[in-house]
Amino acid sequence: MNNAIPALRWQLNRRPKGAVNPEDLELIEFKPDPLKAEHIRIRNIHLSLDPTQRIWMSDREQYLAPIQVGSVMRGTTVGEVTESRSERFKPGDLVIAGMGGWETQTDIEAKSASRIRRLAGVPLTASLSVLGNTGLTAWFGMTRIGQVKAGDTVVVSAAAGAVGSIAGQIAKLRGARVVGIAGGQAKCEWLTGQLGFDAAIDYKSEDVGEELDRHYPDGIDLNFENVGGAIMEAVFNRLNTFGRMALCGMISGYEKDGPVAGPEDFSRILMRRLRIEGFVVLDHLPHAKEALDELAPWVVNGQLRWKDHVEPGLENALHAMQLLFSGRNDGKMILGISPEPAFSSGAAA
Ligand SMILES: NC(=O)c1ccc[n+]([C@@H]2O[C@H](COP(=O)([O-])OP(=O)(O)OC[C@H]3O[C@@H](n4cnc5c(N)ncnc54)[C@H](OP(=O)(O)O)[C@@H]3O)[C@@H](O)[C@H]2O)c1
C-alpha cells in the first residue's frame, strides 16, 4: 500500500433508527498499526454490501456480535495482499476476507483469509456473489434446508435479488416449478424471460395471494423466504401439508426495532405438519466445496445466470445500502473500492 494514500474506513457512530441515516456512520481516516505476526495486510478491491449489515448495526438479538459503536463496519471483502507476515500468503495474492471491513485496507489473521481461485471468463466480483456467500446461501437454503426435489411447487421472495435469483434457478435445475415474487415489471420479466422461472408476481402491482392461488391452485410445497411480513404470510397460508419454509431472510423487518411478528395463525404449522427452518450460511461454510462443485460448472456452462451491481467508491457505501433497501439494486450489491489487478490465467488455479 502506498503510504501517501490515506487509509479510510466507515465507523459506526450510533445505532440507526429506521433507515440508515448519514449521521449514523462516518468515513474517517485511520493510521494502520504495524502488521502483527501471522497477519496479512489487504488492499480491498470489492466490498460485499448485504441486508444483514443493517442488523449488525443494531443491538437486537442476532447471530453475530453487534458492531460496537465507534468500531469499523464489518463486511466481506475481496482484495490483494500487500504485506504478509505469514507463510500462507505473499504480496499479490488475491484473497477473500469474510470478516473484513468497510475500509480501504484491512489487517487480518492469515488463517481467516481464503485464497481466490479465479475461473477464466468469470469476473472477480463473482467471488462475492454467485461463487461466494450469495450462491452458497441459495444452494444450502434450497438443497439442504428446503430439500427441493423434482415436481415441487416452489415460491421464492425477493426473487430478482442476489440470493433469490440464484435460489430459484437452482430449484429449476432440480426439476421444480418456480414462482418468484419481486418488485416491478422489469424484475418480473427478467425472472421469466431470462432465468427460466415459470411465473413471477409483481407484489407492487398485483395481489400476491390471488396470484399464488392462480399459479398454484393445489398449494405450495416449498417457500424460500427472503422478505417476511405480508409477503411471507401470503405464502405461508398456502403451504401444503408437509410443506417447508427455508427461512433465509426477513428484509422487510430489518429497519424496525424490537421483535418481528411471524404469521398470525401459528397453529397451521401443527395442522399442516410444516417444517420452518431458519438458516445462516456461515454455519454451512465448512461444506462450501460441495456447493461450489455444483455451482461453478453451472456458472461456466452458462446454466446459472446472475448480476453484480457494482457501485464505485468507498464514499458511496450509504447510497449503496439505500439502493438495497429500496429495491433499486440490480443484482448483488458490491462496492468498488480500488482497481482490480490484471487477470492472468497463469495465476489461476
Ligand atoms: N441466511 C443467510 O445466511 C443469508 C445470507 C445472505 C442473504 N440473506 C438474506 O437474503 C435476502 C436477500 O439478500 P440479498 O443480499 O440477496 O439482497 P437482494 O435480494 O439483492 O436485495 C434486497 C432486495 O430485497 C427487496 N426488498 C427490500 N426491502 C423490501 C421490503 N421492505 N419488502 C419487500 N422486499 C424488499 C428488494 O427487491 P424488490 O425490488 O423485489 O422489492 C431488494 O432488491 C435478505 O433477507 C438477506 O438478509 C440471508
Side-chain angles (χ1 to χ4, degrees):
M1 168 71 62
N2 179 350
N3 287 333
I5 301 171
L8 296 171
R9 62 167 45 146
W10 282 97
Q11 167 183 293
L12 182 66
N13 271 352
R14 65 177 190 195
R15 303 210 179 279
K17 299 274 175 228
V20 181
N21 191 295
E23 281 95 70
D24 300 332
L25 295 152
E26 189 181 359
L27 188 59
I28 59 164
E29 205 174 308
F30 72 100
K31 191 169 176 307
D33 294 326
L35 191 64
K36 292 186 202 140
E38 293 309 318
H39 280 59
I40 54 174
R41 179 157 293 165
I42 304 166
R43 169 180 71 84
N44 290 324
I45 299 169
H46 297 299
L47 163 69
S48 175
L49 285 179
D50 300 291
T52 199
Q53 290 162 342
R54 174 63 186 82
I55 299 176
W56 299 345
M57 293 177 197
S58 77
D59 57 4
R60 69 197 284 180
E61 187 178 346
Q62 51 194 282
Y63 58 90
L64 287 178
I67 293 165
Q68 293 303 307
V69 171
S71 299
V72 60
M73 277 298 303
R74 187 199 292 141
T76 302
T77 56
V78 156
E80 181 177 16
V81 175
T82 55
E83 208 179 322
S84 175
R85 293 196 59 198
S86 159
E87 292 289 303
R88 290 172 187 248
F89 297 106
K90 58 181 190 319
D93 286 345
L94 285 178
V95 292
I96 187 156
M99 294 290 161
W102 292 21
E103 55 192 357
T104 51
Q105 63 177 71
T106 303
D107 291 356
I108 55 162
E109 249 193 301
K111 66 180 183 197
S112 63
S114 310
R115 191 182 308 276
I116 293 174
R117 306 198 182 277
R118 291 199 65 181
L119 298 171
V122 178
L124 185 58
T125 47
S127 319
L128 293 175
S129 58
V130 66
L131 296 177
N133 278 357
T134 301
L136 295 175
T137 304
W139 193 90
F140 284 108
M142 194 48 92
T143 67
R144 292 292 179 265
I145 310 298
Q147 296 174 10
V148 68
K149 58 183 188 312
D152 275 344
T153 50
V154 177
V155 176
V156 180
S157 57
V163 172
S165 57
I166 297 170
Q169 291 178 84
I170 292 171
K172 284 302 303 173
L173 286 159
R174 291 283 170 106
R177 181 175 160 80
V178 183
V179 172
I181 304 175
Q185 202 184 340
K187 288 188 180 186
C188 288
E189 281 173 8
W190 183 60
L191 293 177
T192 52
Q194 303 289 319
L195 303 193
F197 281 53
D198 296 284
I201 300 172
D202 172 9
Y203 73 89
K204 292 187 173 165
S205 69
E206 295 177 298
D207 183 304
V208 174
E210 277 176 19
E211 289 302 306
L212 288 173
D213 287 340
R214 193 166 69 82
H215 293 299
Y216 287 144
D218 296 325
I220 297 160
D221 299 320
L222 171 59
N223 174 206
F224 189 103
E225 185 53 45
N226 285 318
V227 171
I231 290 177
M232 179 177 76
E233 177 127 24
V235 183
F236 171 85
N237 286 336
R238 289 163 177 81
L239 283 176
N240 287 331
T241 302
F242 299 116
R244 296 95 72 198
M245 181 196 291
L247 183 53
C248 175
M250 301 181 80
I251 191 170
S252 68
Y254 293 173
E255 294 183 334
K256 294 174 191 152
D257 284 325
V260 175
E264 195 182 341
D265 187 2
F266 197 76
S267 72
R268 266 196 115 251
I269 299 172
L270 173 63
M271 306 310 167
R272 289 282 183 172
R273 285 85 87 204
L274 304 178
R275 183 167 63 77
I276 297 181
E277 185 172 345
F279 71 98
V280 171
V281 67
L282 301 179
D283 297 326
H284 298 270
L285 294 185
H287 307 288
K289 183 178 178 304
E290 197 185 341
L292 291 171
D293 282 349
E294 191 160 41
L295 289 167
W298 281 339
V299 166
V300 170
N301 299 338
Q303 287 168 282
L304 191 56
R305 294 178 175 211
W306 83 102
K307 284 185 192 171
D308 294 332
H309 179 158
V310 182
E311 281 290 310
L314 183 65
E315 65 282 8
N316 291 319
L318 294 190
H319 169 65
M321 279 302 269
Q322 284 158 1
L323 296 181
L324 259 185
F325 278 84
S326 60
R328 284 176 291 145
N329 61 312
D330 188 19
K332 172 72 191 101
M333 196 73 241
I334 291 169
L335 204 65
I337 297 181
S338 67
E340 289 184 14
F343 177 52
S344 133
S345 58

